[in-house]
């Protein structure tokens, strides 16, 4: 049977875009302070999950909500299940947007909003791929289940809960990365360095605040400190202006009597690619490290400045490693907090590591480096490296679909980002971004090209059908 998938998507593109716009309006970043038993990650992720499942109910699919942790939209019958793993949660919007991040705007053939490319846009494209198959009445020999998560950007507690209540699909993919395929993902773990809150110098660090999530490069940083010398403050003001000029950064210093507040603006980016961002937190630490802080405050600033600043590959930390297939270890300092207003004085380092490294080995190395200046702990989520071979029928089929629709040769890729594709032994990430795309995930002014949105729906429809027919 020959099916013109592009024509089928073209007939539905207005409806697809309308559904995406409404979904993007649902703010869905995790809010632990608003979490309840009924909304385990806060109201936003719950509302977005219900909204997405509502599309499935509207269109006649089998739908299940698993206690607002996750849910699924299912179609077809068979002994095997093909899983598509999407997520409705998003990272916080952060600063630097030209438009309201929760009011979708279409301009220059792109849709701008938080979640447009990660992962609501690709989720809607995949959903419409299955919707087309259902509306055409195409026969399938397997179940197809779109699993919708709500905590992908944080701790994956949604999937942990979901799979305590539902069976795992046999194989599948997550539309949460790029084409032609992601069949390998580095390991992922966060090692947090902890410092005591003491101050003992002529400069007293009252607070240091930078970073929203471990997997985001901090785009802003603010430090508040006291120094009882007006002449020193005058010199400090001049030095800060020189620092901004030398580093080509923007910032502000405000002094009132002995209290000084410094704000610095960098550039946010996805924590899997820290080298494309500008970490405002570590830059601010390097500026402050030259002054007379002492005690835990000095240890905090000096560690960030000497061992973390511009160390994207763990070289200064002594943990650099490279694998022939998976490439280099990368490291992102996603959260830097100091002061009594925070639950901890810490620097959280998110590592994406190849084979040959473990979370335990990273923790030990950093603990040894800190010595008696601090301690190092490993986060609860330590995901080892994941790889599905090129000759696996899943990978081969998905690459063939990509080649058939683009005319371009498919090839394997390994990334530092972690997707739900790794939930399955035979799981990969597939789309929805095409080679050469501009990566705005986890950044201000996130967008998805409408051409990529519709073309990915074409590929998803054909891929689902070939894998499940």
């Amino acid at each position: 049977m020959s099916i013109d998938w592009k024509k089928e998507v073209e007939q539905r593109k207005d409806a697809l875009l309308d559904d995406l716009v409404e979904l993007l309006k649902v703010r869905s970043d995790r809010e632990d302070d608003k979490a309840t038993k009924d909304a385990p990650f806060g109201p936003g992720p719950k509302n977005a999950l219900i909204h997405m499942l509502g599309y499935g109910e509207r269109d006649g699919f089998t739908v299940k909500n698993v206690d607002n942790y996750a849910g699924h939209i299912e179609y077809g019958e068979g002994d095997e299940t093909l899983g598509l793993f999407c997520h409705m949660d998003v990272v916080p919007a952060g600063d630097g947007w030209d438009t309201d991040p929760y009011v979708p705007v279409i301009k220059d053939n792109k849709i701008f909003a938080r979640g447009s490319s990660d992962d609501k846009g690709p989720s809607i494209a995949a959903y419409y791929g299955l919707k087309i198959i259902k509306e055409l009445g195409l026969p399938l020999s397997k179940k197809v289940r779109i699993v919708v998560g709500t905590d992908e950007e944080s701790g994956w507690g949604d999937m942990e809960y979901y799979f305590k209540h539902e069976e795992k699909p046999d194989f599948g993919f997550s539309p949460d990365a790029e084409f032609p395929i992601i069949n390998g993902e580095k390991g992922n773990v966060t090692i947090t360095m902890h410092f005591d809150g003491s101050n003992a110098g002529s400069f007293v660090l009252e607070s240091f605040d930078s970073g929203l999530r471990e997997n985001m490069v901090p785009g802003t940083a603010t430090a508040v400190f006291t120094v009882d010398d007006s002449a020193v403050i005058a010199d400090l003001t001049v030095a800060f202006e020189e620092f901004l000029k030398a580093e080509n950064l923007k910032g502000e210093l405000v002094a009132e009597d002995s209290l000084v507040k410094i704000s610095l603006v960098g550039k946010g980016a996805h924590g899997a690619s820290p080298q494309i961002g500008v970490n405002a937190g570590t830059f601010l630490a390097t500026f402050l490290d030259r002054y007379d802080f002492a005690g835990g405050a000095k240890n905090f600033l000096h560690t960030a400045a000497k061992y973390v600043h511009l160390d994207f590959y763990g070289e200064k930390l002594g943990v650099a490693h490279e694998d022939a297939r998976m490439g280099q270890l990368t490291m992102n300092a996603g959260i830097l907090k100091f002061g009594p207003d925070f639950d901890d004085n810490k620097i959280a380092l998110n590592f994406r590591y190849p084979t040959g490294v473990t979370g335990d080995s990273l923790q030990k190395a950093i603990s040894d480096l800190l010595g008696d200046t601090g301690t190092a702990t490993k986060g609860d989520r330590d995901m080892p490296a994941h790889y599905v071979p090129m000759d696996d029928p899943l990978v081969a089929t998905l690459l063939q679909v990509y080649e058939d629709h683009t005319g371009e040769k498919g090839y394997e890729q390994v990334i530092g980002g972690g997707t739900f594709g790794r939930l399955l032994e035979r799981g990969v990430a597939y789309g929805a971004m095409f080679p050469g795309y501009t990566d705005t995930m986890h950044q201000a002014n996130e967008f998805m090209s409408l051409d990529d949105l519709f073309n990915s729906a074409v590929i998803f429809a054909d891929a689902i059908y070939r894998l499940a027919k």
Side-chain angles (χ1 to χ4, degrees), residues 9 24 37 64 69 74 109 115 181 185 199 217 220 247 292 297 310 314 354 371 379 400 437:
V9 171
L24 290 169
K37 183 178 180 181
K64 184 172 184 179
Y69 278 83
E74 193 172 82
N109 202 42
I181 202 168
E185 298 183 14
N199 274 281
V217 175
T220 60
E247 300 292 352
D292 184 32
L310 297 180
Q400 187 61 58
Y437 78 100

Side-chain angles (χ1 to χ4, degrees), residues 154-175:
S154 297
W156 290 29
D158 53 348
M159 291 297 103
E160 180 181 359
Y161 187 91
Y162 178 82
F163 287 124
K164 288 180 179 178
H165 298 79
E166 302 292 326
E167 291 186 0
K168 281 191 176 183
D170 297 280
F171 62 103
F173 65 86
S174 175

Side-chain angles (χ1 to χ4, degrees), residues 27 114 128 213-214 235 261 291 304 313 322:
R27 177 172 177 168
R114 178 55 91 218
Y128 265 78
R213 289 284 190 274
E214 298 164 2
D235 292 341
K261 179 180 180 180
Y291 294 102
Y313 306 105
E322 185 170 1

Side-chain angles (χ1 to χ4, degrees), residues 33 48 113 117 132 201 258 260 398 441 453 469:
D33 60 332
S117 62
I132 289 169
S258 63
V260 181
L398 293 176
M441 294 182 182
L453 178 68
K469 70 178 180 180

Side-chain angles (χ1 to χ4, degrees), residues 317-328:
L317 290 168
V319 297
H321 183 77
E322 185 170 1
D323 171 76
R325 173 180 285 135
M326 292 195 160
Q328 291 177 284

Side-chain angles (χ1 to χ4, degrees), residues 12-23 49-64 72-74 123-125 127-132 134-135:
R12 296 166 176 83
K13 70 177 187 179
D14 289 342
L16 186 159
L17 190 56
D18 287 345
D19 282 349
L20 176 56
V21 167
E22 292 305 310
L23 184 60
L49 171 66
I50 292 172
H51 193 101
M52 183 67 188
L53 296 180
Y55 291 151
E57 293 171 346
R58 176 196 67 190
D59 296 327
F61 289 98
T62 298
V63 174
K64 184 172 184 179
H72 63 241
I73 298 168
E74 193 172 82
S123 297
I124 287 292
Y127 173 74
Y128 265 78
L130 183 59
K131 178 176 163 69
I132 289 169
K134 178 179 181 295
E135 291 178 351

